[in-house]
Amino acid sequence: MTTEELNSPQGYKTPVGILGVGHFVPEEIVTNADLTKFVDTSDEWIVSRTGIRARRRAAPHQATSDLAVEAGRRALQAAGTRAEDLDLIIVATMTPDCPMPATSTMVQHQLGATRAGGFDLNIACSGFVYALITGAQFVASGTFRRVLVIGADCMTRLMNWKDRSTCVLFGDGAGAVVLGPVEPGYGIVGIHAGVNGAGGPSLTVNAGGSRMPSWSEGVDSSDYYLQMEGPEVFRFAVSVMGEAAIKALENGGFTPDQVSLFIPHQANARIIEASRKRLNLPHERVFSNVEHYGNTSCGSVPLALSEALEQGRIQDGDLIALVGFGGGLSWASAAIRWGGKKES
Ligand code: UT7
C-alpha cells in the first residue's frame, strides 16, 4: 500500500480537500426582540432553549440563488480559482428559487462558470455535508479537478409566523467551498452518512410536491410551511450528532480527542453542547455561531466553517470534523485534515 492509499481511507484515488471557503448572509438582522413584536415569545425563552439571539432575513427581491452566487464567488476568490475552471457545481438546498430550473443552473450562469455541469441536492439540513462528500467523489476518482459545493437556504420563506415553536429558530444564509486535489495525507480523510426514513414525519413541508401539488383541493396554507415535532427532532439530533462525528473519524482511523475543531450543524446550542460532551471535547474545540444566525439549514455548516477560518480557528494540519443533520431524518459527517493545497 502506498502512503497515498494509507492517507485516503475512502479508497480515494486522488486525495481531495477544500481549497477555499466563502459565505454570504442577507443584510437584515432580525433579533429576538424584533420577533416579540409579532410572535408570542420572549428573548429569555429563545435564548435559554436554543442559544439564538438573531437571524438574517433575505430581502423580498432575494432568493436562494442570490445568496448561493455570492457565497460561491467568495469561495472561488479564496481558492484562487476562476469560475471558468470549474467542472461541476452542486447546490444543496431545500428552498430552491423554484422547482425548475435547478438553482445550480442559475449559479452557473451568474458566476460565468462556462465549462461546469451542475445539479441540486436536497436532503434538508444535512444537504451541505452530503453535497461535500458527493462532490469529493468526482475529484477523488480523477473525473473532475474543481468542484464548487454550495449550501444555501432561505428558510424564512418556509416559516409560519403563527407557529412560535418553529418561526424563531431559522434564518437565511449560504456558504460554499471549492474542492480539488490536495497533497497526500490532507483533505477529506473520513466520511459517514445515514438516514432514518421512519422519522420523516417529525420534520416536514407537506405541500408543493407531487403528493400535494400547490393546486390540489384542501391544501391549507400551513401545509406550505415547515412543521416540526421539536422535542422528537431534538432527541434524534442529540443521539446522532456525536455518533456521526465519531463514525467519520473512525472511518479515517482517528478518535475524537485528535479533533482540533468540531463544526456541527448550527440548530440549537443545547444540541451542540450535548454533542460536545459526547465527544468529550473542551469548549474551545467546538465552533458555534448559532447565536447570530439561527438555523440556516444547508447554509449552516459552511457558514460556520467560513467564520471559523476568518477567526483563525483553523490552521494547516488541523483535523476538523463536520456534521450535518436534519429532515429525513438524515445525517452526514466528514473528517478533514486541513491544508495540503497544491500549487495551481
Ligand atoms: O435542522 C433542523 C433540526 N431542528 C432542530 O434541531 C430542532 C430540534 N428541537 C429543538 O431545538 C427544541 O425542541 C425546540 C427549541 C424546538 C423546543 O424546545 P423544547 O425545550 O423542546 O420545548 P417544547 O417544544 O417542549 O415546548 C415547551 C414549551 C411549550 O409550552 P407548554 O406546553 O409547556 O406550556 C411550548 O408551547 O415552550 C412553549 N414554546 C414557546 N414559548 C415561548 C414553544 N415555542 C415557544 C416560543 N416562545 N418561541
Side-chain angles (χ1 to χ4, degrees):
M1 200 179 252
T2 65
T3 319
E4 191 153 325
E5 281 166 335
L6 270 173
N7 289 319
S8 302
Q10 302 308 315
Y12 287 177
K13 197 170 126 200
T14 306
V16 43
I18 293 175
L19 310 181
V21 186
H23 73 269
F24 179 75
V25 290
E27 209 174 312
E28 189 193 359
I29 299 172
V30 181
T31 64
N32 293 346
D34 294 329
L35 288 179
T36 60
K37 291 173 195 153
F38 59 100
V39 180
D40 178 17
T41 189
S42 66
D43 179 58
E44 194 281 328
W45 190 94
I46 301 172
V47 173
S48 64
R49 301 288 176 127
T50 72
I52 300 167
R53 292 178 190 275
R55 70 286 293 143
R56 299 296 180 104
R57 182 163 51 193
H61 69 272
Q62 284 175 317
T64 295
S65 67
D66 300 309
L67 277 50
V69 165
E70 202 44 50
R73 212 187 299 280
R74 293 174 186 192
L76 287 170
Q77 197 174 7
T81 300
R82 297 180 318 160
E84 306 90 284
D85 293 332
L86 285 174
D87 299 303
L88 181 69
I89 298 170
I90 308 176
V91 176
T93 186
M94 59 179 286
T95 55
D97 287 27
C98 48
M100 188 174 70
T103 303
S104 53
T105 65
M106 300 168 192
V107 172
Q108 177 273 334
H109 179 58
Q110 293 296 323
L111 288 178
T114 43
R115 289 180 45 241
F119 62 89
D120 288 10
L121 184 155
N122 178 2
I123 181 83
C125 300
S126 309
F128 173 79
V129 183
Y130 265 94
L132 176 81
I133 65 182
T134 301
Q137 296 296 330
F138 290 100
V139 180
S141 64
T143 309
F144 294 142
R145 281 188 65 80
R146 289 291 182 272
V147 177
L148 177 63
V149 178
I150 304 176
D153 267 312
C154 284
M155 293 303 287
T156 61
R157 300 279 153 79
L158 295 181
M159 291 302 108
N160 179 353
W161 299 105
K162 293 189 179 123
D163 177 5
R164 66 178 183 171
S165 69
T166 54
C167 73
V168 303
L169 305 174
F170 293 88
D172 303 335
V177 301
V178 177
L179 297 176
V182 289
E183 300 289 345
Y186 289 92
I188 298 173
V189 292
I191 63 168
H192 170 70
V195 292
N196 175 9
S202 59
L203 187 44
T204 56
V205 178
N206 289 315
S210 57
R211 177 80 57 198
M212 197 186 282
S214 48
W215 43 262
S216 52
E217 268 181 44
V219 176
D220 186 80
S221 62
S222 65
D223 292 322
Y224 290 106
Y225 298 123
L226 180 143
Q227 298 181 42
M228 178 167 67
E229 302 291 339
E232 215 163 292
V233 177
F234 188 94
R235 278 190 292 278
F236 153 72
V238 166
S239 70
V240 84
M241 192 125 87
E243 297 310 315
I246 289 169
K247 285 198 173 126
L249 288 162
E250 276 177 1
N251 182 234
F254 299 99
T255 49
D257 57 300
Q258 294 174 282
V259 170
S260 314
L261 195 65
F262 174 48
I263 304 180
H265 175 40
Q266 305 289 311
N268 183 319
R270 286 156 59 214
I271 297 172
I272 294 171
E273 175 58 9
S275 49
R276 183 194 70 76
K277 286 187 176 152
R278 173 68 185 93
L279 297 172
N280 197 23
L281 289 172
H283 289 278
E284 63 273 16
R285 285 204 256 154
V286 178
F287 188 83
S288 178
N289 58 7
V290 70
E291 177 182 352
H292 306 296
Y293 302 113
N295 182 346
T296 55
S297 185
C298 291
S300 153
V301 171
L303 172 53
L305 173 65
S306 185
E307 288 207 329
L309 278 165
E310 278 181 356
Q311 294 170 20
R313 302 273 302 270
I314 303 174
Q315 308 300 328
D316 277 11
D318 282 356
L319 181 67
I320 66 165
L322 310 179
V323 180
F325 70 85
L329 298 168
S330 61
W331 61 92
S333 50
I336 302 173
R337 177 74 72 193
W338 201 259
K341 204 167 160 176
K342 286 180 168 175
E343 287 314 310
S344 100

